[in-house]
Amino acid sequence: MKRIETAFEHLLFSSRWLMAPVYFGLVLAMVVLLIKFTKEVFHIFSEIMTATGGELITGVLSLVDIALIMNLLIIIMFSGYENFVSKMEDLHSHRDRPDWMGHIGFSDLKIKLIGSIVAISGIELLKGFMNVAKLEDRELAWMVGIHVTFLASGVLYALMDRLHGGGKGH
């Protein structure tokens, strides 16, 4: 019976590698976002002489939005892989290795995720305000409501994390 238990535990432990293709899929998502980013840069430059200031700001906010999402994907891929799949031992001495790599736990990852969602929602809301003439009041109200919901969720999650003890020393 002990052999069956040990074999089952090894199977469970090995199943963490089923997440590796998921992280690779996130790499592919970054490629898609890079293409979208490049398309947006070309769009901004192609209309630089005819676009209004608001349109240019909205274009730049779209670039910032994509950059935030890509940064978030990197954090999720690195910390998720190291926390749930395998340590990146060969990269510990790499000179370009980010300082935070290997130090972000699951709780930190969730806080960064909700923080990024709030930031992305804020950028979308700002883009909405830049195009307020094109939006109905109802659409704008939904955008504000969703942003406030994300913001309140983020604050409550951070408070819960702090109360649980995950925010020691922050």
Side-chain angles (χ1 to χ4, degrees):
M1 195 59 147
K2 182 65 177 164
R3 270 194 340 213
I4 294 172
E5 179 183 356
T6 301
F8 181 69
E9 289 169 355
H10 283 283
L11 175 67
L12 284 178
F13 185 69
S14 297
S15 70
R16 72 192 191 283
W17 284 98
L18 295 173
M19 286 298 298
V22 172
Y23 295 119
F24 181 70
L26 293 178
V27 171
L28 297 177
M30 286 183 62
V31 170
V32 169
L33 287 170
L34 180 60
I35 293 167
K36 174 73 173 160
F37 185 90
T38 305
K39 180 181 170 189
E40 190 68 31
V41 167
F42 282 119
H43 177 74
I44 290 170
F45 277 103
S46 70
E47 297 192 4
I48 198 164
M49 298 305 225
T50 59
T52 66
E55 290 170 339
L56 288 175
I57 291 171
T58 301
V60 170
L61 287 173
S62 294
L63 296 178
V64 171
D65 207 10
I66 294 169
L68 282 173
I69 293 169
M70 290 180 77
N71 288 337
L72 179 61
L73 287 175
I74 287 173
I75 292 170
I76 290 169
M77 287 183 309
F78 286 1
S79 62
Y81 184 85
E82 281 211 333
N83 281 310
F84 300 111
V85 179
S86 181
K87 298 289 181 207
M88 295 185 195
E89 299 290 336
D90 296 340
L91 300 177
H92 282 290
S93 60
H94 195 283
R95 70 187 210 5
D96 288 334
R97 186 176 193 269
D99 291 336
W100 56 263
M101 200 171 148
H103 301 288
I104 293 183
F106 188 60
S107 182
D108 298 323
L109 179 61
K110 289 188 286 186
I111 291 289
K112 288 187 184 315
L113 176 65
I114 192 69
S116 294
I117 289 170
V118 169
I120 291 163
S121 171
I123 289 172
E124 289 300 315
L125 184 59
L126 186 55
K127 285 173 18 183
F129 283 134
M130 296 297 295
N131 293 313
V132 73
K134 297 177 184 174
L135 294 176
E136 294 179 15
D137 290 345
R138 182 181 171 138
E139 289 176 296
L140 201 53
W142 272 107
M143 291 175 76
V144 170
I146 290 169
H147 180 68
V148 168
T149 301
F150 285 148
L151 186 60
S153 297
V155 169
L156 289 173
Y157 183 80
L159 180 62
M160 287 187 317
D161 191 54
R162 175 81 125 196
L163 291 173
H164 187 260
K168 298 178 203 119
H170 290 261

